Amino acid sequence: MDYVVLKKPRVLVPNTYYHTAKRLVDITICLVILPIVTPVMLACVLAIFLDSPGPIFYNKERAGKGGRPFRMYKFRTMKTKLDEGHLREFMKAYVKAEIDSLGEGVQSYKPFSRGDVTFVGRILRKLSLDELPQILNVLKGEMSIVGPRPNVLWEVEAYNPWHYERLEVLPGITGLAQVCGRSCIDFATLVRYDIEYIEKQSMLLDFKILWWTFLSVLAGVGAK
């Protein structure tokens, strides 16, 4: 799939001072926490290796700013022998709001069963440790710490026209949608949160989202 070039922004774009400050904060936070989280990441690598055969990392291509593809790094949390065709169709249906996997009107984007996730993977997901390798994506300038979560390319293929607004900024490790619902909201609501974030971007909002993320991780809210 060719990446989507957004010719004209449809939401408010913040000024360059904000972008510069945001980038400096991203780099500073990553460099400060890297020595702290490196032992944790090494422990995750060892735990994954001992728990389940297969690669340590999961690095499917995602749609970045303007739809430009990049490889996003995560620790693998699922078993290797999964039906990717079913996953792809499920995720497209989730984007199009054509599923109701929980039977209660909730459009969940978790198509796999509990048995598809490894024992260590469940712990990593609960603590959000599977996202730690994305520090590298932030340092490379492909992601920011705060921003819309990036979709894989075949999810973007299922976008409605207004969904593309969420691609106008760098994707993030965490975002407004994640602290407001994490894995428990439908895709349309998720996109509305992303667009609200883009329209209201500020360093104050970014720090609030970081704080809310910290509280959500501690409480395990929405993590699956």
Side-chain angles (χ1 to χ4, degrees), residues 151-170:
N151 287 137
V152 292
L153 302 185
W154 34 265
E155 289 174 298
V156 177
E157 291 175 356
Y159 274 13
N160 291 325
W162 69 279
H163 293 161
Y164 287 99
E165 295 182 18
R166 71 191 301 275
L167 300 180
E168 291 176 4
V169 298
L170 284 175

Side-chain angles (χ1 to χ4, degrees), residues 37-55:
V37 301
T38 296
V40 178
M41 294 175 67
L42 291 175
C44 292
V45 168
L46 179 61
I48 294 168
F49 175 77
L50 294 176
D51 178 58
S52 171

Side-chain angles (χ1 to χ4, degrees), residues 35-87:
I36 301 171
V37 301
T38 296
V40 178
M41 294 175 67
L42 291 175
C44 292
V45 168
L46 179 61
I48 294 168
F49 175 77
L50 294 176
D51 178 58
S52 171
I56 301 298
F57 297 98
Y58 178 84
N59 60 351
K60 286 282 185 182
E61 278 194 330
R62 305 287 175 125
K65 183 178 179 180
R68 186 180 299 275
F70 72 100
R71 289 200 174 273
M72 188 187 79
Y73 306 110
K74 295 182 66 172
F75 285 126
R76 180 177 61 85
T77 59
M78 299 180 67
K79 296 176 181 178
T80 53
K81 294 182 179 180
L82 296 174
D83 183 357
E84 188 165 313
H86 168 70
L87 175 64

Side-chain angles (χ1 to χ4, degrees), residues 94-99 105-109 162-163 177 181-194:
Y94 165 70
V95 170
K96 295 176 181 178
E98 295 174 350
I99 60 171
V106 179
Q107 301 288 333
S108 170
Y109 60 86
W162 69 279
H163 293 161
R182 297 193 78 180
S183 61
C184 305
I185 57 177
D186 61 85
F187 188 71
T189 301
L190 181 149
V191 175
R192 290 189 186 98
Y193 278 127
D194 289 337

